[in-house]
Amino acid sequence: MDDLNQLNLSESIIERWLRETDPLELDHLWEAADKTRRKFVGNEVHLRGLIEISNYCIRNCDYCGLRASNKKVERYRLSKDEILGAVEEAVNLGYGTIVMQAGEDPGIRVDWLADIIESIKEISNVAITLSLGERDESEWRQWYTAGADRYLLRFETSDKELYERIHPSGNNPRPHRLEQLKTLKQIGYETGSGVMVGIPGQSFQSLAHDISLFRELDLDMIGIGPFIPCPGTPLAENPIAYALAGGSDQVRNDDLSTLKALALTRLVRPDANIPSTTALGTINPDKGRELGLKRGANIVMPNFTPMPYRKMYAIYPDKASLSESADHIETGESLLRQQIKTMGRTVGTGQGSRPGFIRKQE
Ligand code: SAH
Ligand code: SF4
């Protein structure tokens, strides 16, 4: 337990904690993560309004329901008016950040989105986060110049073999996402990444390496969620083949493994913004979100995608959380605020950037 007090948790110590199963021992990890969270980012929980602007995707990630080959998905792309409507809803509830997420969709034209980014900034000085997959550097630059502030691009796993197995480049080759993150940082984005926990074929050692990379990459935001099998995708249809290819040291895709990874992430990147992810809330609907916030997280990302489209953005099954449905947006919102208060935390105000982060002067 003393090893948690070390400033630079080594990869082998991280791996040992990932393997720990004794609840009494784990209490030390939860306590250390919560204390570190309080010390570095305080008691505020920042809310980010998530808008899933398109579910078109040209990529074929083996884990994801939106992969191009999944012909069962009914595809949509929101109009500018629909996006601005969702932004206004979040802004009226006091949100300081909007996240626009989508599949890798070339139909999201660079000028079209730049115009929307400018229009959002006219409505309110919210921070704008993009999570639109792998795009050309010139497009990322144009969106930054238009006013986008942050970019999320999870590298999913640092194990190169596993990455290539589950993230085929097909007709759209790009460098490993780890390389692309450097470009995002250079442009000036507040940069987020992360991984899935329990990908078939993911070993404890490789997950420990992922977590130590969060520190090395000096990430501003880190999202960690369990891998959730999605029917109709290769990883869900044939997990054993993928797990066997990875060897016998498989990490489980459950809430405990995810919470351990999350807590260790807080320890290695004390001042990062770390969400309690929707995926964690999906595999443990009763307690997932709360446990995430108690074991290192300081961010929640409620969904503002207009209702008819929400169920079409099926990265994995049963994603939408009832309490956040549009009919009950006020109810979902007040429940969330109540939950935050009950935990002795407050709802964050303002943009909620990583402490000390300053946008580049253009
Ligand atoms: N297209 C963009 C953004 C949408 S996908 C991109 O790929 O970056 C956002 C994240 O959803 C992915 O990075 C991945 O970590 C997660 N995801 C995809 N399929 C998943 C699954 N089956 N279970 C859990 N998370 C998944
Ligand atoms: Fe497309 Fe992102 Fe899903 Fe990969 S994870 S298939 S890029 S939406």
Side-chain angles (χ1 to χ4, degrees), residues 67-86:
R67 65 202 303 272
S69 312
N70 190 352
K71 302 296 177 216
K72 292 201 176 127
V73 178
E74 194 185 338
R75 306 280 172 172
Y76 73 88
R77 189 176 301 116
L78 299 188
S79 66
K80 176 176 177 179
D81 282 351
E82 285 170 323
I83 296 173
L84 295 186

Side-chain angles (χ1 to χ4, degrees), residues 54 56-57 59 61-66 100-105 130-134 151-156 167 177 194-197 199 223 225-231 233 235-236 253 279 313-317 319:
S54 160
Y56 284 92
C57 190
R59 228 159 252 289
C61 305
D62 286 1
Y63 37 89
C64 175
L66 299 186
M100 287 191 276
Q101 193 184 79
E104 202 172 304
D105 174 14
L130 302 178
S131 173
L132 306 171
E134 303 168 37
Y151 206 99
L152 301 174
L153 187 72
R154 289 190 182 175
F155 62 80
E156 320 294 2
H167 185 89
R177 283 185 171 196
V195 298
M196 286 178 288
V197 173
I199 307 166
F227 160 68
I228 302 175
C230 182
T233 61
L235 259 177
N253 60 334
Y313 197 83
I315 286 179
Y316 49 78
K319 189 174 112 299

Side-chain angles (χ1 to χ4, degrees), residues 12 21 40 53 57 92 107-108 133 150 154 160 194-195 227 232 251-252 281 302 314 320 330 332 343:
S12 60
T21 53
F40 286 85
I53 64 172
C57 190
N92 289 340
I108 296 177
R150 309 179 185 144
R154 289 190 182 175
K160 289 214 161 45
V195 298
F227 160 68
V251 175
R252 296 176 68 135
E330 309 276 317
M343 281 187 286

Side-chain angles (χ1 to χ4, degrees), residues 63 154-157 166 193-200 202 207 210-211 214 221-229 251-263 265 274-284 288 292 297 301 315-316:
Y63 37 89
R154 289 190 182 175
F155 62 80
E156 320 294 2
T157 170
I166 63 171
S193 192
V195 298
M196 286 178 288
V197 173
I199 307 166
Q202 182 183 54
L207 182 57
D210 296 345
I211 294 170
F214 296 156
M221 305 171 284
I222 305 161
I224 295 174
F227 160 68
I228 302 175
V251 175
R252 296 176 68 135
N253 60 334
D254 58 10
D255 48 354
L256 184 62
S257 307
T258 306
L259 288 162
K260 282 189 268 185
L262 191 149
T265 298
I274 302 179
S276 184
T277 54
T278 308
L280 179 59
T282 301
I283 60 164
N284 184 345
M301 296 169 69
I315 286 179
Y316 49 78

